[in-house]
Amino acid sequence: MERGAGGVRCGWAALLLALLVFSRAAQAQNAPSEKPKVTRILFLLDASGSMMAPWEGQPRWTVAKRMLSKMVDSLNAYPNLELGLRVYGHQFPNADKNCQDSKLEVPFAPRNAKAIKDKLTTLKAQGNTPITYSLEQSANDFPTDKSSRNVLLLITDGLESCNRDPCAASIALQRKHVFLKPFVIGIGAERDFGKQLECLGQYYNAAEVKTFRTVMDDVIAQTLSKTTVSVNLTDAAGRPVESNVNMTFVNNVTEQPEYNYVHYRDAQGKADVLDIDALQSYDLVINTVPPVRQANLAIKPGKANVLTFKTPQGTLWLQNPAITPNPYGTVQAVVHDPQKNTVASFPFGTRQKLLAGNYEVELLTLPRITRRVTVKQGQELAVTYAAPGTLNITTDLKGYGSIYRLNDDESQTWIYNLPDGGSSKVNLPMQPGAYRLVFRTKTSTGSKFTDVRNFSIRSGQTTSVAIFGK
């Protein structure tokens, strides 16, 4: 049974009271608000010729106007809510194929339900379907107010008829924060054209009149009801012990960050409650190292959502050897996951939290050292390297050469090239071990004049290697 305007009005009271609270919080990038946030709903109404087609015994146009009139009437008396009406396809007959037939008929204003209802009685459905143009024009309908919540509700029975891309236009406007992810209601559809409209925003198929009524109610409820999210970060056993981690809610339509938080839990281990605008869809990035990403968060509008993610962490301590001063200066380390993806890089002398698991730590010493490690929940793992020695090449001859590490099986591994054609006089901090220097002077007249010298490096000592011309 259809509800009267008074019953609907009462039904919205609780939601709008929640809106008053909600409007004081949850802003993109967490910007503080000094006054209650205004929610603006722009109804974008299809008045193309096809809207005169019969729908359960009456024109679609008649049903749409009646339902929209009741909706705006029920929303009229509450603060921090403004409504506007843009219509397309109503100024020129369909034969004109006018692709700019779109007009803001009722600008945004508080308590303007009567203006919208009066305007609806004067309009007729007759023309084209310029959805893309109407979306672009709607950018000028919303006042310049970065603190407001701009909502667009498209009611249509057809597709774009002007050979343009409404989906690209919608995403572009969302990225500019003109409006949030739009609602799209396809009414009286004789065929399923939702696949072509759902890219615009959140699509509803209202094939029946009663469905249209329910969908309208649901859309307004999502727009005005308060939604909260709590995020539990747990260890491997599911205990909510992790915290103090950056979290980013990323709009997965525009790919832009909407909220940045540093996770907090109280002394009882409870995560705090965040006000999140449910009119957008999100990926959550928990910025551990490596990050944890959850695509398409299951956030229910108007509910207190609790989300749980396992983020067990341990600590990797990059411990410098006991030598002062360190010939290397500051040594960097690069951490890779088991798939060889780079996870992070940071210097020795620091401690870094990592998700519990297996890693490969590459120490950028000379030569480089690779360590396979396992980081465990709540534990600290120290990684270090041997104190280096120094290689001193004691000649001023210019030439070409390389240094190789000698392996236990008597093979050699390249680790360093001397400056090409320049002076070979160098001092290199190196890890202890056996090495080989291969060098040819710039003035030599053949490869046979290559000089090969084996040498050893010991911690804290200097090894001198002399090169002579041939």
Side-chain angles (χ1 to χ4, degrees), residues 320-329 331 365-367 369 384-391 428-433 435 457-462:
N320 282 309
I323 180 172
T324 303
N326 189 333
Y328 284 131
V331 173
T365 53
L366 182 66
I369 302 169
T384 190
Y385 56 90
T390 301
L391 168 64
L428 288 176
M430 298 175 63
Q431 284 292 282
Y435 297 92
I457 297 293
R458 295 177 176 83
S459 292
Q461 299 184 20
T462 298

Side-chain angles (χ1 to χ4, degrees), residues 39-348:
T39 295
R40 295 187 175 93
I41 304 175
L42 179 65
F43 296 99
L44 180 54
L45 181 60
D46 183 350
S48 61
S50 60
M51 287 289 283
M52 293 307 297
W55 191 21
E56 298 182 10
Q58 51 192 320
R60 297 169 183 169
W61 179 240
T62 301
V63 176
K65 289 195 299 179
R66 184 178 72 248
M67 294 303 301
L68 185 53
S69 293
K70 289 186 177 181
M71 182 59 64
V72 299
D73 194 48
S74 69
L75 301 174
N76 192 54
Y78 299 94
N80 305 322
L81 178 66
E82 296 184 5
L83 306 177
L85 173 66
R86 172 172 284 274
V87 184
Y88 62 81
H90 61 303
Q91 301 176 99
F92 300 89
N94 186 261
D96 288 1
K97 303 298 181 184
N98 191 303
C99 286
Q100 295 184 342
D101 184 1
S102 179
K103 183 180 179 182
L104 178 65
E105 293 291 354
V106 181
F108 284 107
R111 299 177 177 85
N112 61 347
K114 185 178 186 302
I116 293 176
K117 289 160 58 179
D118 290 346
K119 178 57 66 174
L120 287 173
T121 64
T122 68
L123 304 176
K124 65 178 181 179
Q126 59 175 335
N128 214 358
T129 313
I131 297 177
T132 305
Y133 178 78
S134 298
L135 288 171
E136 293 171 344
Q137 292 302 301
S138 72
N140 301 317
D141 299 342
F142 293 97
T144 303
D145 179 2
K146 293 183 179 181
S147 66
S148 64
R149 296 172 71 236
N150 294 340
V151 180
L152 187 140
L153 172 54
L154 170 62
I155 303 171
T156 182
D157 75 336
L159 303 174
E160 170 72 41
S161 62
C162 292
N163 196 29
R164 297 192 63 193
D165 187 352
C167 297
S170 176
I171 291 174
L173 292 170
Q174 290 178 65
R175 285 177 174 162
K176 293 178 181 178
H177 296 284
V178 172
F179 48 66
L180 303 175
K181 186 176 182 179
F183 294 101
V184 183
I185 303 178
I187 65 172
E190 297 177 1
R191 64 189 186 280
D192 183 12
F193 58 84
K195 292 295 182 183
Q196 299 182 53
L197 291 177
E198 61 186 10
C199 58
L200 282 167
Q202 187 169 340
Y203 175 77
Y204 295 88
N205 183 16
E208 301 174 344
V209 172
K210 65 178 181 180
T211 307
F212 180 41
R213 183 185 310 121
T214 301
V215 166
M216 289 278 284
D217 289 353
D218 183 61
V219 166
I220 298 300
Q222 289 192 49
T223 302
L224 300 183
S225 56
K226 181 179 179 180
T227 302
T228 63
V229 174
S230 294
V231 179
N232 285 326
L233 304 180
T234 72
D235 62 11
R239 297 171 297 185
V241 299
E242 299 288 354
S243 192
N244 305 324
V245 176
N246 292 353
M247 303 185 302
T248 306
F249 290 79
V250 179
N251 185 316
N252 59 19
V253 175
T254 67
E255 299 179 355
Q256 295 180 351
E258 295 291 344
Y259 304 91
N260 281 301
Y261 294 108
V262 177
H263 186 271
Y264 173 83
R265 61 184 179 88
D266 61 21
Q268 287 72 44
K270 291 184 178 180
D272 57 350
V273 176
L274 308 174
D275 291 317
I276 301 295
D277 199 326
L279 295 192
Q280 301 175 102
S281 54
Y282 304 95
D283 294 348
L284 176 62
V285 182
I286 303 168
N287 294 293
T288 50
V289 181
V292 174
R293 188 179 188 113
Q294 175 62 53
N296 298 316
L297 284 183
I299 297 178
K300 296 180 179 179
K303 304 294 183 181
N305 297 268
V306 179
L307 309 176
T308 300
F309 302 94
K310 286 188 177 181
T311 57
Q313 297 180 87
T315 301
L316 181 66
W317 179 22
L318 297 180
Q319 186 178 23
N320 282 309
I323 180 172
T324 303
N326 189 333
Y328 284 131
T330 300
V331 173
Q332 296 285 329
V334 181
V335 180
H336 305 276
D337 65 17
Q339 290 73 44
K340 307 298 183 181
N341 300 309
T342 299
V343 170
S345 65
F346 38 91
F348 269 77

Side-chain angles (χ1 to χ4, degrees), residues 354-465:
L354 296 173
L355 286 180
N358 297 321
Y359 297 95
E360 186 177 270
V361 182
E362 185 178 13
L363 286 61
L364 303 187
T365 53
L366 182 66
R368 296 189 178 192
I369 302 169
T370 299
R371 301 276 173 78
R372 289 180 173 84
V373 302
T374 298
V375 176
K376 297 181 179 180
Q377 161 73 36
Q379 297 184 20
E380 182 175 87
L381 175 68
V383 171
T384 190
Y385 56 90
T390 301
L391 168 64
N392 174 234
I393 300 177
T394 60
T395 182
D396 288 331
L397 294 174
K398 295 181 179 182
Y400 311 91
S402 299
I403 298 174
Y404 297 85
R405 180 179 58 200
L406 297 181
N407 304 315
D408 292 339
D409 61 359
E410 298 186 358
S411 64
Q412 65 183 34
T413 302
W414 171 89
I415 64 167
Y416 185 80
N417 282 338
L418 298 178
D420 195 10
S423 173
S424 60
K425 194 170 187 178
V426 294
N427 286 280
L428 288 176
M430 298 175 63
Q431 284 292 282
Y435 297 92
R436 175 173 291 153
L437 173 64
V438 179
F439 183 83
R440 178 178 63 79
T441 63
K442 189 174 183 179
T443 57
S444 63
T445 58
S447 299
K448 65 181 179 180
F449 299 115
T450 299
D451 192 9
V452 178
R453 301 294 178 91
N454 293 345
F455 62 93
S456 296
I457 297 293
R458 295 177 176 83
S459 292
Q461 299 184 20
T462 298
T463 299
S464 296
V465 177

